[in-house]
Amino acid sequence: MKNIRNFCIIAHIDHGKSTLADRLLEVTKTVSERDMKAQVLDSMDLEQERGITIKSHAIQMDYFQDDQKYVLNLIDTPGHVDFSYEVSRSIAACEGALLIVDATQGIQAQTISNLYLAIEHDLEIIPIMNKMDLPNAMPEVVEDQIIDLIGCKHEDIIRASGKTGEGVDEILERIVEVVPSPVGDPEAPLQALIFDSVFNSFRGVIAYFKIVNGTINQGDLVKFVNTQKEYDADEIGVLRLGMEKRKILSTGDVGYIISGIKAAKEVKVGDTITHKAKPCEKAISGFEEVKPMVFAGVYPIDAEDYEDLRAAMEKLQLNDASLTFEPESSAALGFGFRCGFLGMLHMEIIQERLDREFDMNVITTVPNVSYKIHTTDGEEVTVYNPSGLPASTTIEDIEEPYIRSQIITKSDFIGQVMTLCLDKRGTLVKQDYLTTERTELTFDLPLGEIVFDFYDRLKSISKGYASFDYHMIGYKPAKLVRLDILLNGEMVDALSSLIHFDNAYPMGRRMCEKLKELIPRQQFDIAIQAAIGAKIIARETIKAVRKDVTAKCYGGDISRKRKLLEKQKKGKKRMKQVGNVEVPQKAFLAVLKLD
Ligand code: GDP
Ligand code: MG
């Protein structure tokens, strides 16, 4: 135990976490050069393509110093706000953290929010300035930022480069020197913190844990405290490049357990593993049930694919416990599912996996958050879909979820960023100058405004230089109304959205204009209307096309005409017939693309 060091890496995306982790694995010879695929830690295809760490992993290294062997467990953390609960559990499993800051970029929003988590858990912080090899590195400026942030000394900051390997030996030495070895009692009843799990189609769910107290033997009968489920520890072991079996693991160790669990949702990150026979008194604190925050309808383009879509969703849920779905029907789109996601990135990932892994051609509707409705007869209902809103006469008030966000931007853009946040109904909580050139803004914002077009606008305003991170702070009352869209007089439920009353009129106008752009002209005029209740607030018309492609077939033989129609149909991928109007997928997301 005294030679174990458990640590994680805190970094803003692209500051070099994966690259530096790879150098650590190389230097400790955990990975031979031959096995060294670029970035071992990001193993999922999607992760590699997007250059982000979606799921956290752990890896063990041996490190020798002064004739002593040390076991270093690097616990990787996901780099996106959608997965912040997993980040917090990974951090809770560590005693130290490497704080990596890109020497050309300086401190960013995610650096700060993850650092706060680490400080909350009393982790020893090792500050590192990465990418020192780049000519535009600004070590003095960034060093001052780091000192301001964590109150360390100049000489504490390690100058490193994941590219050249500069500083890597020093990082390893420092880990051994300053990260405390785990504390805990090997004789006490077993208490192991589950900080992550992965699904393996052959072995079932593999849970990763850190032992806080006690020991576990292969074959033990264990219990997961929060779910109350019992399992045999069929296999336990440590995570090297792959899994290595062990007979016994003890306090301070980081390892995995396989116990024939079939569905990801059975294993909850943050849960505590104990022994059935001699259970611990209390679960490890900090357990939370992760709840989806963002919801959207997912519908098959072809109604016949409904059952296939259900099968695909079930498979996805086997290895992604945070995905939820339930059947839903829409007058416009037919039968589909209302899905719950952790956030916008999670939603994109699921859409992409449906397409890639299951070849499912789906229409997704505008994402929304969950709303708490208090009805006039004193009940509270939660609504996950704007079209599920009760009649306005029965609504006492509506509450919507709020976030507290950190935005770090060049001071030149403060004015525009403020305007954007205020436009999104934000309130400024705090403004801190990090340097003369960079400012940190803290804004409280409705989450429902973030799922619209917040990121894109923030990025374009700041020319890509603003960073953004947030956490939930709870529900607050809001004056929301449902904005409906009608095509040729028919309401399209899938296009309804909940909008703040003050924005409803301009929003309705912009929606109509955007839909006019997105819906192709057809053989007849199409009226697009926006309405609040029975009141029409905006209108546009798409004029009919003159030329009829089937016209030249008139008088020709019927099979030629049918072939032509068939061909047209194929070309119409991702179009949905709504009433008599063909509506492309893009139109269902129109509200996201309003400028
Ligand atoms: P992560 O998102 O924090 O995991 O960042 P990555 O490790 O994926 O690195 C992001 C990008 O920066 C990649 O293109 C890396 O090749 C590059 N990079 C990482 N570390 C260094 C470094 O020390 N020097 C230079 N020049 N580039 C680096
Ligand atoms: Mg990475």
Side-chain angles (χ1 to χ4, degrees):
M1 211 161 106
K2 97 174 202 310
N3 284 5
I4 299 176
R5 300 290 182 272
N6 298 321
F7 68 101
C8 59
I9 304 181
I10 292 170
H12 190 76
I13 189 146
D14 279 347
H15 282 201
K17 181 172 77 166
S18 303
T19 310
L20 209 59
D22 288 348
R23 292 293 90 73
L24 297 178
L25 299 182
E26 245 172 34
V27 169
T28 56
K29 304 199 168 56
T30 310
V31 190
S32 71
E33 216 155 308
R34 219 186 42 192
D35 291 338
M36 191 80 208
K37 225 174 62 184
Q39 300 197 359
V40 176
L41 282 175
D42 296 346
S43 55
M44 230 164 106
D45 276 1
L46 256 175
E47 291 185 4
Q48 279 196 352
E49 268 171 44
R50 289 168 173 253
I52 47 162
T53 311
I54 295 169
K55 293 286 289 178
S56 44
H57 304 264
I59 195 157
Q60 188 180 86
M61 300 166 255
D62 294 333
Y63 176 64
F64 296 87
Q65 191 181 305
D66 304 331
D67 294 329
Q68 291 262 349
K69 179 181 155 185
Y70 292 89
V71 173
L72 311 184
N73 290 308
L74 166 58
I75 296 176
D76 197 20
T77 53
H80 194 275
V81 45
D82 285 8
F83 307 97
S84 59
Y85 177 66
E86 290 181 26
V87 177
S88 86
R89 295 305 82 201
S90 301
I91 283 176
C94 296
E95 284 80 37
L98 308 182
L99 174 71
I100 297 182
V101 181
D102 185 327
T104 68
Q105 300 287 319
I107 284 161
Q108 299 288 351
Q110 216 184 304
T111 324
I112 296 192
S113 58
N114 287 346
L115 176 72
Y116 289 162
L117 278 177
I119 290 173
E120 222 173 275
H121 286 92
D122 280 332
L123 265 50
E124 190 63 43
I125 313 284
I126 300 176
I128 296 163
M129 244 190 325
N130 190 37
K131 305 200 188 180
M132 283 301 294
D133 60 291
L134 289 176
N136 55 336
M138 342 172 263
E140 285 78 24
V141 177
V142 175
E143 226 167 57
D144 285 343
Q145 289 179 7
I146 296 176
I147 290 168
D148 255 8
L149 189 66
I150 61 171
C152 62
K153 296 201 219 53
H154 273 278
E155 53 273 25
D156 293 337
I157 302 170
I158 300 175
R159 297 188 172 201
S161 163
K163 189 152 190 189
T164 64
E166 175 190 346
V168 173
D169 288 320
E170 203 183 336
I171 293 171
L172 288 163
E173 283 162 24
R174 189 76 69 83
I175 291 170
V176 167
E177 187 193 339
V178 306
V179 176
S181 41
V183 288
D185 180 2
E187 307 302 324
L190 175 66
Q191 252 186 334
L193 170 68
I194 299 177
F195 62 83
D196 194 15
S197 71
V198 293
F199 178 82
N200 178 299
S201 39
F202 301 105
R203 317 282 324 257
V205 180
I206 304 167
Y208 296 166
F209 60 78
K210 185 245 183 131
I211 303 184
V212 177
N213 285 301
T215 56
I216 183 170
N217 290 274
Q218 191 228 320
D220 283 353
L221 185 53
V222 295
K223 189 164 107 179
F224 289 14
V225 178
N226 287 289
T227 62
Q228 290 288 318
K229 299 226 180 200
E230 290 164 13
Y231 307 98
D232 286 317
D234 297 334
E235 181 179 322
I236 57 168
V238 295
L239 301 147
R240 306 286 293 197
L241 193 51
M243 293 184 288
E244 275 181 24
K245 284 190 220 178
R246 294 283 188 272
K247 287 265 177 274
I248 181 169
L249 291 172
S250 185
T251 302
D253 284 335
V254 172
Y256 71 90
I257 176 170
I258 298 177
S259 38
I261 304 172
K262 291 284 181 291
K265 62 181 165 198
E266 250 184 70
V267 178
K268 311 250 184 224
V269 167
D271 204 348
T272 304
I273 306 174
T274 193
H275 282 124
K276 178 173 192 273
K278 195 181 151 202
C280 56
E281 270 177 30
K282 273 202 304 231
I284 296 160
S285 63
F287 174 74
E288 273 173 39
E289 202 68 65
V290 237
K291 288 202 197 78
M293 301 303 304
V294 173
F295 303 84
V298 175
Y299 290 85
I301 302 270
D302 195 338
E304 283 170 24
D305 292 338
Y306 177 72
E307 282 307 325
D308 289 347
L309 178 58
R310 177 200 298 280
M313 297 293 260
E314 278 166 0
K315 280 225 178 80
L316 282 177
Q317 201 180 44
L318 273 184
N319 63 39
D320 183 346
S322 38
L323 169 70
T324 62
F325 66 95
E326 53 185 56
E328 169 181 87
S329 64
S330 147
L333 298 176
F335 291 101
F337 298 96
R338 172 106 326 213
C339 300
F341 312 96
L342 295 176
M344 297 299 284
L345 176 70
H346 188 215
M347 179 171 117
E348 273 177 49
I349 291 168
I350 295 293
Q351 269 171 266
E352 215 157 308
R353 291 187 65 189
L354 277 172
D355 184 34
R356 282 188 201 198
E357 295 168 34
F358 299 93
D359 203 18
M360 291 297 318
N361 211 354
V362 295
I363 293 264
T364 49
T365 64
V366 176
N368 58 265
V369 297
S370 61
Y371 300 93
K372 282 189 186 154
I373 319 276
H374 297 110
T375 63
T376 43
D377 43 13
E379 272 178 75
E380 182 183 293
V381 271
T382 307
V383 170
Y384 302 99
N385 185 345
S387 65
L389 203 67
S392 59
T393 49
T394 66
I395 297 176
E396 187 74 47
D397 68 70
I398 304 180
E399 289 187 324
E400 60 178 337
Y402 266 71
I403 56 160
R404 175 154 296 175
S405 65
Q406 260 100 36
I407 301 167
I408 295 185
T409 175
K410 264 194 174 160
S411 302
D412 307 355
F413 306 125
I414 293 181
Q416 282 153 291
V417 172
M418 290 248 197
T419 308
L420 170 66
C421 291
L422 295 173
D423 187 37
K424 293 290 192 178
R425 299 190 282 127
T427 44
L428 179 66
V429 178
K430 204 166 58 137
Q431 179 173 1
D432 284 330
Y433 289 91
L434 298 175
T435 63
T436 46
E437 271 163 32
R438 292 158 55 73
T439 303
E440 178 189 358
L441 298 172
T442 306
F443 261 98
D444 286 354
L445 286 152
L447 178 64
E449 295 283 351
I450 304 300
V451 307
F452 275 22
D453 55 353
F454 185 81
Y455 287 112
D456 290 348
R457 285 177 63 188
L458 181 65
K459 246 191 258 158
S460 80
I461 283 174
S462 64
K463 311 209 162 45
Y465 284 121
S467 60
F468 174 71
D469 205 349
Y470 67 81
H471 62 272
M472 277 290 297
I473 50 172
Y475 282 75
K476 288 187 189 180
K479 223 167 118 198
L480 299 170
V481 291
R482 197 176 80 205
L483 179 68
D484 293 324
I485 300 291
L486 292 81
L487 293 181
N488 278 345
E490 237 184 279
M491 190 186 118
V492 184
D493 55 0
L495 286 173
S496 295
S497 49
L498 283 185
I499 308 278
H500 193 262
F501 180 77
D502 297 343
N503 299 337
Y505 276 76
M507 198 71 167
R509 239 187 343 266
R510 281 153 70 201
M511 275 289 281
C512 288
E513 286 163 11
K514 195 74 199 181
L515 286 168
K516 184 179 177 181
E517 265 173 48
L518 293 175
I519 298 176
R521 294 168 73 188
Q522 292 168 37
Q523 325 286 12
F524 42 82
D525 283 2
I526 303 168
I528 306 170
Q529 293 166 303
I532 299 171
K535 190 167 178 203
I536 303 294
I537 60 165
R539 181 195 162 109
E540 292 284 338
T541 307
I542 303 173
K543 286 283 176 205
V545 262
R546 280 294 149 96
K547 217 171 80 216
D548 184 345
V549 264
T550 60
K552 60 178 170 232
C553 306
Y554 285 162
D557 76 308
I558 219 77
S559 73
R560 245 187 74 204
K561 187 170 165 185
R562 187 176 301 138
K563 249 184 218 153
L564 196 58
L565 285 172
E566 216 90 60
K567 215 165 116 197
Q568 262 188 304
K569 209 165 141 197
K570 279 225 177 90
K572 264 184 221 135
K573 272 192 140 186
R574 300 224 174 209
M575 290 274 230
K576 193 84 188 179
Q577 185 86 25
V578 176
N580 56 358
V581 183
E582 293 270 10
V583 183
Q585 153 85 68
K586 282 201 295 271
F588 290 100
L589 298 175
V591 66
L592 297 180
K593 303 283 175 215
L594 301 176
D595 7 72

